[in-house]
């Protein structure tokens, strides 16, 4: 018998050159299914009654967990007869424990995957690459994704770690051989397992750029950035930002000179302040410092943050809305972390910047009177870059 545990749970029986697929009944309860899966995962050893009771009835209200175990075993044996017609008692009762019939050979894709992962470092050259690709192909999804039992969750994390390590080892090899389609496919799957890892979006964007698809790289970046903020309220790393800027530049280079001028001169403008990444914000500030060196004017930088007694995502979004709608069109704003922003007011003194910030604070509390946010801010005068004067 072979069972697929990575991705959708499935099984099949192979005998006499014929294969019979297992069909799990729709009405089977989660606990019964988890019980069967526990036996499959631990098919290589006998399992004691004490272990099964501790695993499946640790805090039961039943006064007789031994009887509950007996009933579950009866149910599981009948289920196996339904799944594999013609097979007699597949799970045997031994002295104080239970185990599979020794006449049955059981294989699982999870064991095969783990074995390749553990042995791959002993291989070299082409064998090393092929072993990594074999391991990656076996991982068709998380370990028993529908099983939320503690034993399954811990194994799920273990196999996720093995898979992510495999991906990180194979991607530079595929990149070196310019196997871009495989790089993209692997990155897309790995990103589902770890949504925050910038390694995979980095390789994906580089592959798309190498294939002459910078627009796809931009889309991959935008999806990653949105997912990163929604899940963890953090921004992409500087490396990801740099690749994104390269992809954007390549998108513009695909246009002729007239199209670029038209895009820049006639492009639709947002009526709100300009929300940008921190890297872009730094570049804007650097340009303003050069401008101040020539004009002798004044500009101000402001750092605004929320207090601890807030609903992080909700109040951060509220603050962002107030900043974007309350500042002038084109005032650059960058998100630093959850509930913390920095922005620049060009041509504004620190005294006037303070008045602007107080106005924004009043607008926040007027719009969100039930919020417990305590807004704090710091203001500094932007210094001219005299070296560029």
């Amino acid at each position: 018998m072979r069972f697929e545990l990575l991705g959708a749970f499935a099984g099949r029986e192979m005998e006499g050159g014929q294969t019979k697929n297992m069909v799990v009944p729709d009405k089977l309860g989660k606990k019964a299914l988890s019980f069967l899966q526990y036996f499959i995962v631990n098919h290589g050893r006998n399992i004691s009654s004490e272990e099964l009771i501790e695993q499946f009835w640790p805090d039961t209200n039943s006064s007789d967990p031994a009887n509950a175990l007996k009933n579950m075993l009866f149910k599981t044996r009948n289920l196996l007869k339904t799944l594999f017609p013609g097979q007699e008692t597949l799970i045997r009762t031994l002295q104080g424990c239970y185990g599979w019939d020794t006449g049955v050979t059981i294989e699982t894709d999870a064991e095969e995957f783990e074995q390749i992962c553990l042995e791959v470092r002993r291989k070299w050259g082409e064998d090393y690459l092929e072993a990594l690709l074999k391991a990656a192909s076996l991982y068709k999804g998380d370990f028993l994704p529908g099983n939320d039992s503690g034993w399954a969750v811990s194994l799920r994390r273990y196999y996720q770690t093995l898979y992510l390590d495999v991906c990180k080892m194979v991607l530079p090899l595929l990149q070196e051989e310019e196997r871009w389609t495989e790089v993209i496919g692997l990155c897309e799957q790995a990103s589902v397992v770890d949504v925050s890892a910038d390694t995979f979006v980095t390789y994906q964007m580089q592959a798309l750029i190498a294939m002459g698809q910078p627009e796809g790289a931009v889309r991959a970046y935008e999806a990653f950035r949105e997912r990163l903020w929604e899940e963890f309220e953090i921004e992409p790393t500087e490396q990801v930002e740099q690749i994104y800027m390269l992809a954007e530049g390549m998108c513009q280079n695909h246009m002729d000179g007239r199209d670029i001028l038209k895009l820049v001169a006639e492009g639709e403008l947002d009526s709100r302040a300009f929300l940008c990444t921190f890297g872009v914000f730094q570049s804007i500030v650097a340009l303003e410092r050069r401008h101040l060196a020539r004009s002798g004017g004044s500009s101000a930088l402001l750092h605004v943050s929320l207090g601890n007694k807030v609903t992080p995502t909700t109040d951060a979004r509220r603050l962002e809305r107030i900043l974007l709608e309350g500042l002038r069109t084109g005032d650059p704003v960058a998100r630093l972390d959850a509930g913390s922003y920095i922005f620049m007011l060009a041509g504004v003194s620190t005294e006037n910047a303070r008045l602007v910030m107080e106005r924004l604070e009043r607008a926040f509390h007027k719009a969100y009177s039930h919020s417990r946010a305590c807004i704090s801010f710091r203001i500094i005068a932007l210094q001219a870059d005299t070296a560029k004067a």
Side-chain angles (χ1 to χ4, degrees):
M1 296 178 181
R2 180 176 175 86
F3 293 94
E4 308 296 327
L5 309 179
L6 299 173
F9 176 55
R12 61 182 183 270
E13 181 183 10
M14 294 165 284
E15 186 176 1
Q18 294 185 334
T19 300
K20 300 177 183 178
N21 292 324
M22 174 186 78
V23 180
V24 179
D26 294 334
K27 296 182 179 180
L28 184 64
K30 282 189 174 183
K31 193 166 191 174
L33 181 59
S34 179
F35 191 84
L36 171 61
Q37 291 170 339
Y38 191 79
F39 267 92
I40 293 171
V41 170
N42 295 283
H43 68 86
R45 65 184 181 90
N46 296 326
I47 309 172
S48 69
S49 301
E50 291 79 7
E51 178 182 341
L52 291 169
I53 290 172
E54 182 180 353
Q55 193 66 247
F56 291 94
W57 296 275
D59 302 311
T60 181
N61 294 323
S62 172
S63 58
D64 191 0
N67 189 55
L69 171 60
K70 181 180 177 181
N71 291 335
M72 183 63 79
L73 282 164
F74 178 78
K75 185 175 183 178
T76 302
R77 283 168 173 153
N78 284 337
L79 173 61
L80 285 169
K81 287 180 182 179
T82 302
L83 297 177
F84 302 105
Q87 292 285 355
E88 292 302 320
T89 305
L90 288 170
I91 295 180
R92 302 285 186 178
T93 300
L94 306 171
Q95 189 170 1
C97 60
Y98 306 90
W100 287 85
D101 186 338
T102 54
V104 176
T105 300
I106 295 178
E107 299 175 351
T108 72
D109 59 343
E111 287 178 319
E112 184 182 358
F113 169 73
E114 179 184 31
Q115 190 66 29
I116 295 174
C117 291
L118 296 177
E119 293 179 353
V120 70
R121 297 181 188 276
R122 303 174 191 171
K123 300 183 180 295
W124 302 94
E126 191 63 29
D127 290 339
Y128 176 67
L129 175 58
E130 291 306 314
L132 289 172
L133 291 173
K134 174 64 174 177
S137 68
L138 284 170
Y139 194 93
K140 294 181 173 61
D142 284 341
F143 176 82
L144 297 177
N147 192 332
D148 56 2
S149 302
W151 69 268
V153 171
S154 60
L155 282 173
R156 187 174 305 135
R157 291 171 182 155
Y158 169 66
Y159 288 117
Q160 284 176 339
T161 300
L162 286 181
Y163 174 68
L164 293 173
D165 286 344
V166 164
C167 292
K168 290 173 183 176
M169 287 188 286
V170 76
L171 281 170
L173 301 179
L174 293 176
Q175 186 182 60
E176 185 178 340
E177 295 189 4
E178 299 185 2
R179 294 163 67 168
W180 305 122
T181 302
E182 291 173 85
V183 169
I184 293 169
L186 199 61
C187 288
E188 288 176 347
Q189 184 174 352
S191 296
V192 174
V193 179
D194 187 353
V195 299
S196 66
D198 60 355
T199 299
F200 306 122
V201 73
T202 297
Y203 277 104
Q204 182 183 7
M205 291 169 67
Q206 289 172 335
L208 288 165
I209 290 172
M211 293 174 69
Q213 301 176 24
E215 298 85 357
V218 170
R219 289 193 296 270
Y221 164 83
E222 291 172 344
F224 175 71
R225 185 175 183 230
E226 181 178 354
R227 189 168 63 241
L228 205 59
W229 179 253
E230 290 295 332
E231 293 285 340
F232 307 101
E233 297 182 338
I234 58 177
E235 293 285 1
T237 62
E238 190 66 28
Q239 182 185 17
V240 175
E241 295 286 357
Q242 289 174 354
I243 299 173
Y244 162 66
M245 293 175 70
L246 171 63
E248 268 208 325
M250 291 180 67
C251 290
Q252 294 175 2
N253 287 337
H254 286 173
M255 305 177 184
D256 60 30
R258 182 177 302 175
D259 289 335
I260 291 175
L261 289 173
K262 186 175 181 180
L263 175 66
V264 174
E266 302 178 9
E268 185 177 346
L269 296 176
D270 194 337
S271 61
R272 307 183 306 168
F274 176 57
L275 181 65
C276 59
T277 64
F278 184 71
V280 173
F281 181 84
Q282 285 181 305
S283 298
I284 294 173
V285 171
L287 288 173
E288 178 62 15
R289 292 183 63 201
R290 295 187 183 190
H291 172 71
L292 292 177
R294 295 193 301 271
S295 67
S298 61
S299 295
L301 289 178
L302 296 91
H303 173 241
V304 57
S305 59
L306 298 166
N308 295 326
K309 297 180 180 181
V310 296
T311 305
T313 303
T314 302
D315 282 313
R317 290 297 190 193
R318 290 169 173 173
L319 177 58
E320 182 175 302
R321 177 176 173 271
I322 292 297
L323 292 176
L324 295 183
E325 295 182 357
L327 293 171
R328 299 169 301 182
T329 300
D331 283 341
V333 181
R335 184 190 299 127
L336 298 177
D337 52 38
S340 179
Y341 292 80
I342 187 170
F343 60 96
M344 182 182 74
L345 298 176
V348 175
S349 65
T350 53
E351 291 80 5
N352 289 334
R354 181 175 298 276
L355 296 176
V356 171
M357 192 60 240
E358 290 173 352
R359 174 175 58 79
L360 293 171
E361 185 176 8
R362 288 194 301 271
F364 180 92
H365 289 296
K366 182 178 179 180
Y368 309 107
S369 56
H370 297 292
S371 173
R372 302 174 64 188
C374 180
I375 298 176
S376 61
F377 59 90
R378 294 179 58 193
I379 303 172
I380 65 168
L382 187 61
Q383 300 298 317
D385 186 0
T386 55
K388 302 295 182 180

